[in-house]
Amino acid sequence: MTIVCNTIQQLHNALNNDRFRNKRRGFVPTMGALHAGHTALIEASVKSNDITISSIYVNPSQFNNADDLKNYPHMPEKDLRMLEDAGCDLVFIPSTEEIYPDGIQTLDIHFGTLETVMEGAFRPGHFRGVATIVSRLYDLVKPDEAFFGEKDFQQLAIIRELARRNYPRIKITGIPTIREADGLAMSSRNLLLTPEQRKAAPLIYKALKQGQEFIPHHTPAAVSELITRYIEQSKLLRVEYCIIADPVSLEPVTDWNNRDEVRCCIAVLTEGPRLIDNIAYRVNPD
Ligand code: AMP
């Protein structure tokens, strides 16, 4: 049975219970509206830890768009069933008063290039909000290992840096992106797509896969341009950015010299939700 805790006190009591005390804790933070991407994280945690704790909290401090926050999908009963089925032991579903008793504030923490490129450039303050909530949750849950999806590739880089600096005892594990049968990266925001937008959206991953074929005969900028044109064949999709970056520093790459693998990261606007995705490219595929 998945135990549900809504307050810090309940969480504290549960974690001091025999079922949880002195056990290796895996932790999977989420914003709910769960899908198979989330359950892949839970299942990975169940495999390598004694107990698995998840959280569902739509963190206002990481939203830079009021409508995005207001429209974020919410389906607690289904989420709970999915957590049970995936083997999650405890889920923490706090209110904003529990998380931010002194009002919504973010840590004064900076990540240099990692937070200024791509998502950071288009969603100012987003990663500071992410670092704030993840730190708060780590302090409450005290996990041994935490799981995050590669779907949010830049977020994973920030999370690794946060752990390196402030939580060196927490092991960070990244999990590959889970996709729909047609290639669309699973996302809670996909629920907000109209049927027409949903039909067009698989073009994003199709274009990303196609990008590998363009290397190394085109510059990184030209590959980004070709991917953008491919996607914008659909009138319903507009590319906000498409950047080929170093997979660790996230610095945009300008040529293929001395590179083995790069990461292409993309954000696509629809008239509804904004979609992000990414893919690894081998620079010298054998
Ligand atoms: P979210 O609920 O969107 O904040 O996501 C919670 C966690 O699930 C984050 O670590 C995400 O990167 C991860 N995640 C979201 N979508 C996917 C996916 N399609 N495949 C793998 N992980 C995902």
Side-chain angles (χ1 to χ4, degrees), residues 6-11 57 92-102 136 140:
N6 296 115
T7 65
I8 291 170
Q9 189 62 53
Q10 288 169 358
L11 177 68
Y57 180 62
F92 181 45
I93 313 180
S95 65
T96 288
E97 290 69 35
E98 288 286 315
I99 294 295
Y100 296 104
D102 303 322
R136 179 91 171 110
L140 295 170

Side-chain angles (χ1 to χ4, degrees), residues 29-31 35 37-38 41 72 148-149 151-152 176-178 186:
T30 82
M31 298 203 297
H35 49 67
H38 298 108
L41 272 65
Y72 202 84
F148 295 85
K151 154 80 172 27
D152 300 285
T177 303
I178 305 296
M186 288 195 182

Side-chain angles (χ1 to χ4, degrees), residues 28-41 55-58 62-63 72 147-153 155-156 159 173-180 184-190 276-277:
V28 180
T30 82
M31 298 203 297
L34 303 184
H35 49 67
H38 298 108
T39 48
L41 272 65
S55 61
I56 298 178
Y57 180 62
V58 182
Q62 72 189 67
F63 282 77
Y72 202 84
F147 295 78
F148 295 85
E150 284 185 2
K151 154 80 172 27
D152 300 285
F153 193 77
Q155 170 173 282
L156 179 56
I159 293 290
T173 300
I175 300 292
T177 303
I178 305 296
R179 299 180 179 280
E180 302 286 357
L184 177 64
M186 288 195 182
S187 165
S188 307
R189 289 185 177 88
N190 291 351
I276 61 170
D277 202 348

Side-chain angles (χ1 to χ4, degrees), residues 30-89:
T30 82
M31 298 203 297
L34 303 184
H35 49 67
H38 298 108
T39 48
L41 272 65
I42 301 275
E43 283 161 9
S45 170
V46 168
K47 257 193 202 141
S48 59
N49 293 280
D50 299 326
I51 56 161
T52 290
I53 298 164
S54 186
S55 61
I56 298 178
Y57 180 62
V58 182
N59 171 37
S61 78
Q62 72 189 67
F63 282 77
N64 56 319
N65 176 319
D67 280 343
D68 189 23
L69 177 59
K70 197 177 81 205
N71 297 333
Y72 202 84
H74 180 68
M75 42 191 62
E77 291 85 17
K78 181 170 176 239
D79 287 351
L80 200 53
R81 278 201 303 277
M82 291 184 71
L83 290 171
E84 294 258 17
D85 291 348
C88 178
D89 296 280

